[in-house]
Amino acid sequence: SQTIHQWPATLVQPVGSPLSLECTVEGTSNPNLYWYRQAAGRGLQLLFYSVGIGQISSEVPQNLSASRPQDRQFILSSKKLLLSDSGFYLCAWTRLAGAQETQYFGPGTRLLVL
Amino acid sequence: AQSVTQLGSHVSVSEGALVLLRCNYSSSVPPYLFWYVQYPNQGLQLLLKYTTGATLVKGINGFEAEFKKSETSFHLTKPSAHMSDAAEYFCAVSYTGSQGNLIFGKGTKLSVKP
């Protein structure tokens, strides 16, 4: 069966520090991968998605970036964190690139920027 | 632009009472529709989805939703609430050609009173 992992589970970082969040999927190959941010009272916002290694699409301009160095690995990064980057970051995957496909979510990383 | 509106950020019901969580979307093209549930500090889990066919969709944990095109709605219901249903519920839509990118509502937090 397929599983999705995210780490770390929680993170407290000072403003201006770098960030690296990791997401990995097991039990499938060539998944579509997604990064979402959930901020209080604002629902979920799609940040990035990837249909393959090295292929990243950005939905929202910001100081975050994403990379997909391996088929089942998706990394969210920042060179300098802002206070507004605080939130709950969720990674998700789908088997196929289709609008009717179910997205399967990881457990999330809670980031607090101080 | 497409959007999803969930009426009521908080809904409180008594155990055994009907649960009704509202979701409306704005779009000129038919969407695919999803309901996800999120328990505290966890990722999202799919409750049910509508892609094609029967407009009344049954999901897990006794929930169901009906797609009403004329009302652009996809309300979630459960005949009898259980304490374990207390969680946050998200309605989401996607569209053909969108690479499966989900547009989420802001969520409705459901409380169940004993």
Short mmCIF file of all heavy atoms in Angstrom, two decimals, chain A residues 34 36 38 41 43-44 46 49 51 59 88 90 97-103 105-107 110, chain B residues 32 34 36 38 41-44 46 49 51 90 94-96 98-102 104-106:
data_model
loop_
_atom_site.label_atom_id
_atom_site.label_comp_id
_atom_site.label_asym_id
_atom_site.label_seq_id
_atom_site.Cartn_x
_atom_site.Cartn_y
_atom_site.Cartn_z
N TYR A 34 2.04 17.55 -4.58
CA TYR A 34 1.51 18.88 -4.30
C TYR A 34 1.98 19.36 -2.93
O TYR A 34 2.09 18.57 -1.99
CB TYR A 34 -0.03 18.85 -4.30
CG TYR A 34 -0.66 18.29 -5.55
CD1 TYR A 34 -0.77 16.92 -5.74
CD2 TYR A 34 -1.15 19.14 -6.55
CE1 TYR A 34 -1.35 16.40 -6.90
CE2 TYR A 34 -1.73 18.63 -7.70
CZ TYR A 34 -1.83 17.26 -7.87
OH TYR A 34 -2.39 16.76 -9.02
N TYR A 36 0.69 22.23 -0.12
CA TYR A 36 -0.33 23.18 0.29
C TYR A 36 0.12 23.85 1.59
O TYR A 36 0.84 23.27 2.39
CB TYR A 36 -1.67 22.48 0.57
CG TYR A 36 -2.38 21.93 -0.63
CD1 TYR A 36 -2.11 20.65 -1.09
CD2 TYR A 36 -3.35 22.68 -1.30
CE1 TYR A 36 -2.78 20.13 -2.19
CE2 TYR A 36 -4.03 22.16 -2.39
CZ TYR A 36 -3.73 20.89 -2.83
OH TYR A 36 -4.40 20.38 -3.92
N GLN A 38 -1.73 25.71 4.95
CA GLN A 38 -2.98 25.98 5.65
C GLN A 38 -2.69 26.99 6.74
O GLN A 38 -1.99 26.71 7.71
CB GLN A 38 -3.52 24.68 6.25
CG GLN A 38 -4.89 24.80 6.87
CD GLN A 38 -5.40 23.46 7.39
OE1 GLN A 38 -4.62 22.53 7.63
NE2 GLN A 38 -6.70 23.33 7.56
N GLY A 41 -7.77 30.23 9.55
CA GLY A 41 -8.90 30.96 8.99
C GLY A 41 -8.85 31.19 7.49
O GLY A 41 -9.68 31.92 6.94
N GLY A 43 -8.17 28.47 5.08
CA GLY A 43 -8.30 27.25 4.28
C GLY A 43 -6.95 26.80 3.74
O GLY A 43 -5.90 27.18 4.25
N LEU A 44 -6.98 25.99 2.70
CA LEU A 44 -5.76 25.46 2.12
C LEU A 44 -5.43 26.19 0.82
O LEU A 44 -6.31 26.40 -0.02
CB LEU A 44 -5.91 23.97 1.82
CG LEU A 44 -5.78 23.05 3.01
CD1 LEU A 44 -7.12 22.85 3.66
CD2 LEU A 44 -5.21 21.72 2.57
N LEU A 46 -2.91 26.08 -2.50
CA LEU A 46 -1.93 25.32 -3.27
C LEU A 46 -0.71 26.19 -3.53
O LEU A 46 -0.83 27.31 -4.02
CB LEU A 46 -2.54 24.85 -4.58
CG LEU A 46 -1.61 24.07 -5.51
CD1 LEU A 46 -1.21 22.74 -4.87
CD2 LEU A 46 -2.30 23.83 -6.84
N TYR A 49 3.02 22.30 -7.50
CA TYR A 49 2.73 20.92 -7.87
C TYR A 49 3.77 20.46 -8.88
O TYR A 49 4.42 21.28 -9.55
CB TYR A 49 1.32 20.72 -8.39
CG TYR A 49 1.01 21.34 -9.73
CD1 TYR A 49 1.15 20.62 -10.90
CD2 TYR A 49 0.53 22.65 -9.81
CE1 TYR A 49 0.85 21.17 -12.13
CE2 TYR A 49 0.21 23.21 -11.03
CZ TYR A 49 0.38 22.48 -12.18
OH TYR A 49 0.07 23.04 -13.39
N VAL A 51 4.61 17.19 -11.77
CA VAL A 51 4.16 16.00 -12.50
C VAL A 51 5.30 15.05 -12.78
O VAL A 51 5.08 13.96 -13.32
CB VAL A 51 3.44 16.39 -13.81
CG1 VAL A 51 2.21 17.24 -13.50
CG2 VAL A 51 4.38 17.12 -14.75
N GLU A 59 2.05 28.06 -8.01
CA GLU A 59 0.71 28.65 -8.07
C GLU A 59 0.66 30.04 -7.45
O GLU A 59 -0.16 30.85 -7.84
CB GLU A 59 -0.29 27.74 -7.34
CG GLU A 59 -0.58 26.46 -8.07
CD GLU A 59 -1.30 26.69 -9.38
OE1 GLU A 59 -2.39 27.29 -9.37
OE2 GLU A 59 -0.77 26.28 -10.44
N PHE A 88 0.53 25.48 8.55
CA PHE A 88 0.57 24.02 8.51
C PHE A 88 0.76 23.62 7.06
O PHE A 88 -0.05 23.98 6.20
CB PHE A 88 -0.76 23.49 9.07
CG PHE A 88 -0.79 22.03 9.38
CD1 PHE A 88 0.25 21.42 10.06
CD2 PHE A 88 -1.88 21.26 9.03
CE1 PHE A 88 0.21 20.06 10.36
CE2 PHE A 88 -1.93 19.90 9.33
CZ PHE A 88 -0.89 19.31 9.99
N LEU A 90 1.10 20.96 4.08
CA LEU A 90 0.64 19.62 3.74
C LEU A 90 1.13 19.22 2.36
O LEU A 90 1.06 20.00 1.41
CB LEU A 90 -0.90 19.57 3.75
CG LEU A 90 -1.53 19.67 5.14
CD1 LEU A 90 -2.98 20.10 5.04
CD2 LEU A 90 -1.45 18.32 5.85
N ALA A 97 -2.42 12.20 -13.41
CA ALA A 97 -2.61 13.63 -13.59
C ALA A 97 -4.00 13.90 -14.13
O ALA A 97 -4.18 14.13 -15.31
CB ALA A 97 -1.56 14.18 -14.54
N GLY A 98 -4.99 13.83 -13.28
CA GLY A 98 -6.36 14.07 -13.70
C GLY A 98 -7.13 14.82 -12.64
O GLY A 98 -6.91 14.63 -11.45
N ALA A 99 -8.06 15.65 -13.09
CA ALA A 99 -8.80 16.49 -12.15
C ALA A 99 -9.72 15.67 -11.26
O ALA A 99 -10.13 16.14 -10.21
CB ALA A 99 -9.61 17.53 -12.92
N GLN A 100 -10.07 14.45 -11.66
CA GLN A 100 -10.97 13.64 -10.84
C GLN A 100 -10.23 12.72 -9.90
O GLN A 100 -10.85 11.96 -9.16
CB GLN A 100 -11.91 12.83 -11.73
CG GLN A 100 -11.19 11.88 -12.66
CD GLN A 100 -12.14 11.22 -13.63
OE1 GLN A 100 -13.35 11.27 -13.45
NE2 GLN A 100 -11.62 10.63 -14.68
N GLU A 101 -8.92 12.79 -9.92
CA GLU A 101 -8.14 11.91 -9.06
C GLU A 101 -8.18 12.35 -7.61
O GLU A 101 -8.10 13.55 -7.31
CB GLU A 101 -6.69 11.87 -9.53
CG GLU A 101 -6.48 11.25 -10.90
CD GLU A 101 -6.90 9.80 -10.93
OE1 GLU A 101 -6.54 9.06 -10.00
OE2 GLU A 101 -7.61 9.40 -11.88
N THR A 102 -8.26 11.40 -6.72
CA THR A 102 -8.23 11.69 -5.29
C THR A 102 -6.82 12.08 -4.86
O THR A 102 -5.86 11.42 -5.26
CB THR A 102 -8.68 10.47 -4.49
OG1 THR A 102 -10.02 10.16 -4.84
CG2 THR A 102 -8.59 10.73 -2.99
N GLN A 103 -6.71 13.13 -4.08
CA GLN A 103 -5.42 13.51 -3.51
C GLN A 103 -5.31 12.89 -2.13
O GLN A 103 -6.22 12.98 -1.32
CB GLN A 103 -5.27 15.02 -3.44
CG GLN A 103 -5.15 15.63 -4.84
CD GLN A 103 -4.68 17.05 -4.83
OE1 GLN A 103 -4.15 17.56 -3.84
NE2 GLN A 103 -4.84 17.73 -5.97
N PHE A 105 -3.25 12.91 1.37
CA PHE A 105 -2.46 13.90 2.11
C PHE A 105 -1.56 13.25 3.15
O PHE A 105 -1.92 12.24 3.77
CB PHE A 105 -3.40 14.90 2.80
CG PHE A 105 -4.02 15.89 1.85
CD1 PHE A 105 -5.12 15.56 1.08
CD2 PHE A 105 -3.48 17.17 1.73
CE1 PHE A 105 -5.68 16.47 0.20
CE2 PHE A 105 -4.03 18.09 0.85
CZ PHE A 105 -5.13 17.74 0.09
N GLY A 106 -0.42 13.88 3.36
CA GLY A 106 0.47 13.49 4.43
C GLY A 106 0.01 14.07 5.76
O GLY A 106 -0.97 14.80 5.82
N PRO A 107 0.75 13.76 6.83
CA PRO A 107 0.35 14.21 8.17
C PRO A 107 0.61 15.67 8.44
O PRO A 107 0.12 16.22 9.42
CB PRO A 107 1.18 13.32 9.09
CG PRO A 107 2.38 12.96 8.28
CD PRO A 107 1.90 12.86 6.87
N ARG A 110 3.91 21.45 10.97
CA ARG A 110 3.48 22.73 11.54
C ARG A 110 4.72 23.61 11.72
O ARG A 110 5.65 23.23 12.43
CB ARG A 110 2.79 22.55 12.88
CG ARG A 110 2.19 23.85 13.42
CD ARG A 110 1.14 23.62 14.49
NE ARG A 110 0.03 22.83 14.02
CZ ARG A 110 -0.96 23.29 13.28
NH1 ARG A 110 -0.97 24.54 12.87
NH2 ARG A 110 -1.96 22.49 12.92
N TYR B 32 -15.34 18.77 -10.67
CA TYR B 32 -15.30 17.57 -9.85
C TYR B 32 -15.32 18.07 -8.40
O TYR B 32 -14.68 19.07 -8.08
CB TYR B 32 -14.04 16.76 -10.13
CG TYR B 32 -13.94 16.32 -11.57
CD1 TYR B 32 -12.98 16.85 -12.41
CD2 TYR B 32 -14.81 15.36 -12.07
CE1 TYR B 32 -12.89 16.44 -13.73
CE2 TYR B 32 -14.72 14.95 -13.40
CZ TYR B 32 -13.76 15.49 -14.21
OH TYR B 32 -13.68 15.09 -15.53
N PHE B 34 -15.26 17.40 -4.09
CA PHE B 34 -14.69 16.58 -3.04
C PHE B 34 -15.07 17.13 -1.67
O PHE B 34 -15.21 18.34 -1.49
CB PHE B 34 -13.15 16.58 -3.12
CG PHE B 34 -12.58 16.15 -4.45
CD1 PHE B 34 -12.57 17.02 -5.53
CD2 PHE B 34 -12.06 14.88 -4.61
CE1 PHE B 34 -12.04 16.63 -6.76
CE2 PHE B 34 -11.52 14.48 -5.83
CZ PHE B 34 -11.51 15.36 -6.90
N TYR B 36 -13.34 16.63 2.19
CA TYR B 36 -12.27 16.07 3.00
C TYR B 36 -12.56 16.40 4.48
O TYR B 36 -13.16 17.42 4.80
CB TYR B 36 -10.92 16.68 2.64
CG TYR B 36 -10.30 16.15 1.37
CD1 TYR B 36 -10.62 16.70 0.13
CD2 TYR B 36 -9.38 15.09 1.42
CE1 TYR B 36 -10.04 16.21 -1.04
CE2 TYR B 36 -8.80 14.61 0.25
CZ TYR B 36 -9.13 15.17 -0.96
OH TYR B 36 -8.55 14.69 -2.11
N GLN B 38 -10.57 16.76 8.33
CA GLN B 38 -9.29 16.93 9.00
C GLN B 38 -9.48 16.88 10.50
O GLN B 38 -10.18 17.74 11.07
CB GLN B 38 -8.63 18.24 8.59
CG GLN B 38 -7.24 18.43 9.17
CD GLN B 38 -6.61 19.74 8.76
OE1 GLN B 38 -7.29 20.75 8.61
NE2 GLN B 38 -5.30 19.74 8.58
N ASN B 41 -4.45 18.49 14.03
CA ASN B 41 -3.02 18.24 13.78
C ASN B 41 -2.76 17.04 12.88
O ASN B 41 -1.73 16.38 13.02
CB ASN B 41 -2.27 18.09 15.11
CG ASN B 41 -2.27 19.37 15.90
OD1 ASN B 41 -1.94 20.44 15.36
ND2 ASN B 41 -2.66 19.30 17.15
N GLN B 42 -3.69 16.79 12.00
CA GLN B 42 -3.52 15.69 11.05
C GLN B 42 -3.72 16.19 9.63
O GLN B 42 -4.20 17.30 9.40
CB GLN B 42 -4.50 14.56 11.35
CG GLN B 42 -4.27 13.84 12.66
CD GLN B 42 -5.17 12.65 12.83
OE1 GLN B 42 -5.61 12.03 11.86
NE2 GLN B 42 -5.45 12.31 14.08
N GLY B 43 -3.37 15.35 8.68
CA GLY B 43 -3.64 15.66 7.28
C GLY B 43 -5.10 15.49 6.95
O GLY B 43 -5.92 15.22 7.82
N LEU B 44 -5.43 15.66 5.67
CA LEU B 44 -6.81 15.55 5.23
C LEU B 44 -7.09 14.14 4.72
O LEU B 44 -6.25 13.50 4.10
CB LEU B 44 -7.09 16.55 4.10
CG LEU B 44 -7.41 17.97 4.51
CD1 LEU B 44 -6.20 18.67 5.08
CD2 LEU B 44 -7.96 18.76 3.32
N LEU B 46 -10.03 11.87 2.53
CA LEU B 46 -11.18 11.98 1.64
C LEU B 46 -12.40 11.31 2.26
O LEU B 46 -12.36 10.17 2.70
CB LEU B 46 -10.87 11.31 0.30
CG LEU B 46 -12.01 11.39 -0.72
CD1 LEU B 46 -12.13 12.82 -1.26
CD2 LEU B 46 -11.78 10.41 -1.87
N LYS B 49 -16.40 11.86 -3.06
CA LYS B 49 -16.20 12.73 -4.20
C LYS B 49 -17.24 12.46 -5.28
O LYS B 49 -17.79 11.36 -5.36
CB LYS B 49 -14.79 12.58 -4.78
CG LYS B 49 -14.53 11.25 -5.45
CD LYS B 49 -13.10 11.24 -6.05
CE LYS B 49 -12.82 9.95 -6.79
NZ LYS B 49 -11.43 9.92 -7.34
N THR B 51 -17.62 12.70 -9.42
CA THR B 51 -16.96 12.93 -10.71
C THR B 51 -18.00 12.91 -11.81
O THR B 51 -18.20 13.89 -12.52
CB THR B 51 -15.86 11.89 -10.97
OG1 THR B 51 -16.41 10.57 -10.86
CG2 THR B 51 -14.73 12.04 -9.96
N PHE B 90 -13.64 20.16 4.77
CA PHE B 90 -13.30 21.01 3.65
C PHE B 90 -13.96 20.51 2.37
O PHE B 90 -13.87 19.33 2.04
CB PHE B 90 -11.78 21.04 3.43
CG PHE B 90 -11.02 21.74 4.52
CD1 PHE B 90 -10.53 21.04 5.59
CD2 PHE B 90 -10.80 23.11 4.44
CE1 PHE B 90 -9.84 21.67 6.60
CE2 PHE B 90 -10.10 23.76 5.45
CZ PHE B 90 -9.62 23.04 6.53
N SER B 94 -12.19 20.66 -8.49
CA SER B 94 -11.14 20.70 -9.50
C SER B 94 -11.81 20.66 -10.87
O SER B 94 -13.00 20.34 -10.97
CB SER B 94 -10.16 19.55 -9.34
OG SER B 94 -10.81 18.32 -9.59
N TYR B 95 -11.04 20.95 -11.89
CA TYR B 95 -11.60 21.07 -13.22
C TYR B 95 -10.73 20.34 -14.24
O TYR B 95 -9.51 20.28 -14.08
CB TYR B 95 -11.74 22.55 -13.62
CG TYR B 95 -12.65 23.31 -12.70
CD1 TYR B 95 -12.14 23.96 -11.58
CD2 TYR B 95 -14.02 23.34 -12.93
CE1 TYR B 95 -12.99 24.63 -10.72
CE2 TYR B 95 -14.86 24.01 -12.07
CZ TYR B 95 -14.34 24.65 -10.96
OH TYR B 95 -15.17 25.31 -10.11
N THR B 96 -11.35 19.82 -15.25
CA THR B 96 -10.64 19.14 -16.32
C THR B 96 -9.55 20.04 -16.88
O THR B 96 -9.79 21.21 -17.16
CB THR B 96 -11.62 18.76 -17.45
OG1 THR B 96 -12.62 17.90 -16.91
CG2 THR B 96 -10.89 18.03 -18.57
N SER B 98 -6.84 20.88 -15.25
CA SER B 98 -6.18 21.65 -14.20
C SER B 98 -5.05 20.89 -13.53
O SER B 98 -4.52 21.36 -12.54
CB SER B 98 -7.22 22.04 -13.14
OG SER B 98 -7.67 20.89 -12.45
N GLN B 99 -4.68 19.72 -14.06
CA GLN B 99 -3.67 18.87 -13.42
C GLN B 99 -4.10 18.44 -12.04
O GLN B 99 -3.27 18.10 -11.21
CB GLN B 99 -2.30 19.59 -13.32
CG GLN B 99 -1.64 19.86 -14.65
CD GLN B 99 -1.12 18.59 -15.31
OE1 GLN B 99 -1.06 17.54 -14.70
NE2 GLN B 99 -0.77 18.69 -16.58
N GLY B 100 -5.39 18.46 -11.79
CA GLY B 100 -5.89 18.00 -10.50
C GLY B 100 -5.72 19.00 -9.38
O GLY B 100 -5.87 18.66 -8.21
N ASN B 101 -5.38 20.24 -9.69
CA ASN B 101 -5.21 21.22 -8.63
C ASN B 101 -6.53 21.51 -7.94
O ASN B 101 -7.51 21.89 -8.58
CB ASN B 101 -4.65 22.52 -9.20
CG ASN B 101 -3.29 22.31 -9.81
OD1 ASN B 101 -2.65 21.30 -9.57
ND2 ASN B 101 -2.86 23.26 -10.62
N LEU B 102 -6.57 21.31 -6.65
CA LEU B 102 -7.80 21.49 -5.89
C LEU B 102 -7.94 22.92 -5.41
O LEU B 102 -6.97 23.53 -4.96
CB LEU B 102 -7.82 20.55 -4.68
CG LEU B 102 -8.04 19.07 -4.95
CD1 LEU B 102 -7.82 18.26 -3.69
CD2 LEU B 102 -9.43 18.83 -5.50
N PHE B 104 -9.89 24.83 -2.54
CA PHE B 104 -10.57 24.50 -1.30
C PHE B 104 -11.42 25.65 -0.79
O PHE B 104 -11.08 26.83 -0.98
CB PHE B 104 -9.54 24.17 -0.21
CG PHE B 104 -8.96 22.79 -0.32
CD1 PHE B 104 -7.83 22.56 -1.07
CD2 PHE B 104 -9.55 21.73 0.35
CE1 PHE B 104 -7.28 21.30 -1.17
CE2 PHE B 104 -9.01 20.46 0.26
CZ PHE B 104 -7.88 20.24 -0.49
N GLY B 105 -12.49 25.29 -0.09
CA GLY B 105 -13.19 26.27 0.73
C GLY B 105 -12.40 26.49 2.00
O GLY B 105 -11.38 25.83 2.25
N LYS B 106 -12.88 27.43 2.82
CA LYS B 106 -12.13 27.79 4.03
C LYS B 106 -12.37 26.82 5.18
O LYS B 106 -11.73 26.95 6.22
CB LYS B 106 -12.48 29.21 4.46
CG LYS B 106 -11.95 30.26 3.49
CD LYS B 106 -12.14 31.67 4.01
CE LYS B 106 -11.52 32.67 3.04
NZ LYS B 106 -11.66 34.06 3.51
#
